[in-house]
Amino acid sequence: MTNGNYRRVVMVGLVVMGLPVLFSLVDYARGAEGEPFLAPAKPDTACILESAAMRYTHMTFLKDLRDRVVREENRSAEGDLDARGMNSCRGCHPDRAAFCDRCHDRASVRLDCFDCHKY
Amino acid sequence: MVPSVGDETTMVKRSPHRDSAPAKKPRPKRVVPDREVVRRLLGSGGDAMGQCMQCATCSAVCELTPDDAPFPRKEMLWAQWGLVDRLVSDVDIWLCHECHDCTVRCPRGARPGDVMAALRQACVSHYSFPQGLARAAAAPAGLVWIVLASAALLAAASIGWDATGVTVAELTGGGTRIAIPFWTRFPHGLLIALFLTVFAFDVAVLGLGMRRYWRALSATALSAPTRATPNAWGQSLRAALGRIVWHDDFASCQHEARRRFGHGLVVYGTVGLMVVDLWVVTARQNPLLSGLVYPLGLADPWKLLANLAGVALVMGCVMMGIERLRRRERWFPGGKWSGLEGVRRAPSGTYGDWLLLGLISTVVLTGFVTEGLHLFRVDELRYAAYAAHLVSVTTLFVVLPYSKLAHLAYRTLAFLFVERYGLRRRAAVRAETAPAASCAQPKLSPQEVP
Amino acid sequence: MSDQGPLTVPEGPRGRLLVVGGGIAGLSAAIEAAEAGFGVALVEREAYLGGRVAQMHQYFPKLCPPLCGLEINLRRLRSEGGPVSRDPRRVSAPWGASGSLAYLTLTEVQEITRVSGGRHRVRLRQRPRFVTARCTACGACTSVCPVERPHPFDLGLRSSKAIALPHAAAFPTLYAIDRDACEPSCTRCVSACPQQAIDLGMPERELELEVAAVIWATGWEPYGAKALTDLGFGAHPDVITNLMLERLAAPQGPTGGRITCPSDGRVPERVAFVQCAGSRDVDHLEYCSGVCCLASAKQARYLRAAHPGVDVSIYYIDRRAAGNQERFLATTAEDERLQFVPGKVARVDVSGRFPVLEFENVATGRLEAATADLVVLATGMVPSQSDTPAFRELGRDAWGFLTGLEARTNEPSAGQFVAGCARQPMDVSSSVRDATSAVARALAWGRTGRNAFDRRGAP
């Protein structure tokens, strides 16, 4: 590789590194929606957790529920578990595409709930 | 800095008639060989340095060495003698880019390239603190302890974080029982805080080492009468960074020519990852960002850049590793050296060389494995891979100021030093660069003039 | 062929001795052995006796021509004990009362087998010279010969005809034909020879001989400078070897003794000697030949004497001189237009018109480049090679030099002694002394049938 070519390759590399910043700036300038993924819940419904905590823990939250019910047969601990099970998700968020998929797609996280369950 | 054999290496004999001596001659400085340093150099790649017979072939074939104080011949002598003061105030060890042109051509198989690498390691160890950690980073046995310590550090941080109960309290504020997911044991905030701390430690160690090194350089190299007016800081820094950005010095190497590309991949891969890291670390404070920050989707420009940089890093490491392993075939084609002799003549890198490549590769590869396991939801393994990734990152940060990786600080400093003081310029003595120099034109006898 | 007599080697009172190699060591050994009572067969591969010494211009430290010393030995060989036949095939020759000596040129030892009593049966093979002993060296053949070839004796610095005297002072003074160079079916020399001395049908001949002991004095060859690619040999005509300089300086040499640049024949003004050209180098010769420093000093001195305007630089790693030869180096260094520069020449750049030497001057600690008109590579000595079974079976040290003195009595190579540069690199006077000591060993062997060094062995 000649010296000139090497420099050209380095330049290309440096430009590539700048591209994400550029994209972010463009996004910002376009005023792209920050958190567009979740469709709001139905009106007059109570949140199980505040949305930040839910976003952070919903996966283990659901699994924990599952484990307690399926493995420990413990349906009594927290009262109306049924209302908090996955069945109840769609009570407040009826559209799976707007509630689950959009966000998971965006974050490239494979959703395996619906391999077994129906929403 | 006259690097000849006879100047200061003369031992002083106490004269019985000292008092009667009429005039005080400047006493030659007594040379104190440091055998411990010699022993350490012998053990870290310089095992063949005793073969050196000071023929200076190495200096003459080196494409990077300056004309006025060529290396590595003088360094070979100092290393043999264990002249630690000179070695650790020598700027030239960092101008060497370990291309091994000298090793290939050394008529004694003394491997000056490896000796220079050992000297650089010794220089880093010499200026860093604490010395115990520096020793540990220089030997395989120490690595085990550093890895264990890194894991313990992470565990302690996690347990400590747990004990504060902040996460649990925050999440269970509504009185709801929530299983704490793995990543809340290592929430990003905690990791960022932890790594910033370790990073600050690195900066402190390297910074102090650089300060000491700079002082040593100023005390020795600048005492020469040739000291010129220093160039402006900005100009010097620009010149030094230019050499780094374009990898100009690598271009001169003959026997490790492809290393310029491999090293470039590693450097720019690292820079790319650092840019992404900076973005992610500052995400919460970034006005351009809101809402979902991570996990980043595969199509996200930042994720793309991170993956691209990671691939470049691994590629660069593999390239450099392969070059290193295939030295014998590349340096001595035709099976000229075989068996143990060949291994001695063209060794495939020291512990320090492989520690660097190995650690960087481990960091990136465990990162990729974690990413893949996440994507494919292999829940049984992904946290283990993630833990391994975190431990390797911590290990890398811990050994950074003591290992070969410290060259990013020391070599930059050496570049800055020589650029600031206009030292170590490569004048055009080589015939191909100076065909018309006056000394290169012999007189023609009259009958020979065409 | 009626004029080809029987190949006989006389038996002396101490028995018979085979000396392999007709250079200064072999010649000395053969003569000393004959004087001590051996009947000696002296075998030489080339067409003339004298070996490498015949190629030299001057010896150090006396700076006298070696042909003089060689001539003394040849006279001892020729005249002291009576006339030696000039016929290279009829080798029987009386040698005084104490013994006799016969020499065979163009001959190699093929095989040596131990027979009873520590004796050896040797099989010699003589290649044809194609010129008989009737040759008077008149030169008529050379003037009609159509073939020019690089002259081997002058290391290709000039060409000579396919039929020629091997060199100007060759002994025996007989022409020889290089049949490999001949045009097929050319017989011009045969008809031109007034003595009918040319016999193109001369066969190869073999001779079997029983001898008490063998002395190998097969000598040395200059290290192949072609392998020194960094030093420009072969890429620039003005980069030559030290042996080539000897030929350039020799009065009978290609330039008549005028030292000039081979490229264009001009008188050089800057001459550079590159010491350790390939020596002490794990990629070439790992050892020091021990004589090149003095040889270069000697050459520098006769160069300076021949051309007072010439500047000489000698680039070296260490200046090495054994024993009292140190003084020779010191005297050499007194010449102010002759400088010793510490620093091995790493590369000779031959891309320009003049070769440029690149090196670090260790005295000043600077990289330098020096232009020279003539670059002399002081190449080292490697042991001569041969692919005959007898030679291959000999013991060797790590560098390929022959061992033998140390051989135990019951080892195959016992009773075969080594002298001169075949044993290790050395200068001419050491070679002569080494030859004498080998003769002493051979005498002891001839008497006792056991190696004097071997206290345990029994015949």
Side-chain angles (χ1 to χ4, degrees), chain B residues 110-407:
Chain B
R111 306 208 313 271
D114 277 346
V115 175
M116 291 295 270
L119 290 175
R120 284 189 289 273
Q121 181 61 53
C123 177
V124 169
S125 299
H126 181 85
Y127 287 119
S128 52
F129 81 96
Q131 281 289 305
L133 203 46
R135 294 275 161 77
L143 182 65
V144 177
W145 292 110
I146 293 176
V147 171
L148 290 177
S150 303
L153 180 68
L154 281 165
S158 171
I159 290 166
W161 179 258
D162 233 13
T164 61
V166 175
T167 312
V168 181
E170 179 192 325
L171 293 179
T172 56
T176 311
R177 174 183 158 179
I178 290 174
I180 302 300
F182 179 84
W183 51 94
T184 55
R185 291 204 173 275
F186 293 103
H188 281 110
L190 174 67
L191 290 178
I192 289 167
L194 183 71
F195 287 133
L196 281 182
T197 311
V198 181
F199 190 68
F201 170 74
D202 288 349
V203 169
V205 172
L206 283 177
L208 189 83
M210 286 163 82
R211 200 170 105 114
R212 289 172 171 174
Y213 184 44
W214 184 275
R215 284 191 176 165
L217 287 180
S218 306
T220 53
L222 296 184
S223 61
T226 52
R227 176 177 184 168
T229 326
N231 296 318
W233 281 109
Q235 184 196 344
S236 318
L237 197 60
R238 255 200 316 281
L241 290 180
R243 285 167 82 162
I244 295 166
V245 167
W246 303 123
H247 277 46
D248 285 337
D249 296 66
F250 282 97
S252 308
C253 301
Q254 290 176 357
H255 285 96
E256 302 260 308
R258 270 176 292 181
R259 216 163 55 110
R260 187 188 194 195
F261 193 72
H263 191 270
L265 283 176
V266 173
V267 167
Y268 290 106
T270 309
V271 171
L273 287 179
M274 287 293 157
V275 169
V276 177
D277 277 346
L278 195 68
W279 185 260
V280 172
V281 165
T282 57
R284 280 169 201 270
Q285 287 74 40
N286 195 328
L288 300 190
L289 285 173
S290 61
L292 186 70
V293 176
Y294 20 66
L296 294 171
L298 279 180
D300 189 282
W302 291 102
K303 190 74 173 181
L304 285 174
L305 174 60
N307 281 329
L308 190 68
V311 169
L313 252 171
V314 174
M315 264 175 63
C317 286
V318 168
M319 272 180 76
M320 290 206 285
I322 288 176
E323 290 284 284
R324 208 177 270 166
L325 291 172
R326 292 189 58 247
R327 275 177 182 171
R328 199 166 67 203
E329 298 96 281
R330 288 187 302 109
W331 292 357
F332 306 109
K336 186 159 185 188
W337 290 88
S338 59
L340 268 181
E341 284 296 316
V343 172
R344 214 167 294 147
R345 195 87 168 80
S348 43
T350 60
Y351 168 70
D353 295 332
W354 287 110
L355 175 70
L356 179 53
L357 281 195
L359 263 183
I360 294 177
S361 312
T362 308
V363 166
V364 181
L365 288 177
T366 51
F368 273 133
V369 168
T370 308
E371 187 183 341
L373 293 176
H374 256 306
L375 283 178
F376 294 104
R377 293 297 300 271
V378 188
D379 289 357
E380 295 79 8
L381 289 175
R382 59 171 167 167
Y383 300 131
Y386 185 48
H389 180 62
L390 290 180
V391 170
S392 61
V393 171
T394 313
T395 306
L396 180 72
F397 272 101
V398 169
V399 301
L400 189 150
Y402 308 105
S403 69
K404 189 179 177 183
L405 201 49
H407 76 273

Side-chain angles (χ1 to χ4, degrees), chain B residues 4-76:
Chain B
S4 68
V5 187
D7 55 351
E8 289 175 35
T9 54
T10 328
M11 296 292 230
V12 177
K13 267 190 189 162
R14 277 184 190 280
S15 160
H17 308 296
R18 206 163 27 141
D19 298 337
S20 60
K24 266 194 178 175
K25 275 190 200 165
R27 290 184 55 176
K29 219 164 69 187
R30 186 179 189 122
V31 163
V32 186
D34 188 331
R35 278 185 291 180
E36 174 59 22
V37 166
V38 174
R39 199 185 57 75
R40 226 178 303 149
L41 292 177
L42 289 172
S44 57
D47 49 290
M49 73 182 186
Q51 294 289 323
C52 175
M53 60 180 179
Q54 291 287 303
C55 72
T57 303
C58 46
S59 304
V61 298
C62 181
E63 296 288 344
L64 289 176
T65 194
D67 301 325
D68 53 354
F71 60 83
R73 201 259 315 154
K74 63 179 190 302
E75 283 78 8
M76 292 296 285

